[in-house]
């Protein structure tokens, strides 16, 4: 069974990619920006993120 990345490192990587295209390239930058947009514009995704951060999910 393979190890899964911890949520903190996944979140950190998402933020680095979303903020700086030189971190892992333009393609990953655009994907990270789209993921962040979805998290903040989708009511369901936003609720799940909030629950995850609060430790409820």
């Amino acid at each position: 069974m393979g190890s899964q990345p911890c949520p903190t490192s996944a979140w950190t990587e998402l933020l680095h990619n979303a903020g700086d295209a030189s971190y892992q390239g333009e393609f990953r930058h655009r994907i990270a920006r789209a993921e962040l947009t979805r998290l903040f514009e989708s009511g369901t995704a936003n609720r799940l993120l909030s629950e995850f951060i609060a430790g409820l999910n």
Side-chain angles (χ1 to χ4, degrees):
M1 204 177 242
S3 65
Q4 302 238 347
C6 72
T8 302
S9 68
W11 180 251
T12 302
E13 185 174 334
L14 176 66
L15 292 178
H16 279 289
N17 282 331
D20 186 4
S22 68
Y23 182 65
Q24 286 190 344
E26 184 65 28
F27 180 73
R28 293 220 184 247
H29 171 71
R30 288 177 184 234
I31 289 175
R33 297 295 294 189
E35 288 180 12
L36 283 176
T37 298
R38 181 183 59 85
L39 283 174
F40 292 104
E41 290 182 357
S42 165
T44 302
N46 191 292
R47 180 182 52 80
L48 289 172
L49 176 63
S50 298
E51 289 176 1
F52 178 74
I53 290 171
L56 301 173
N57 187 345

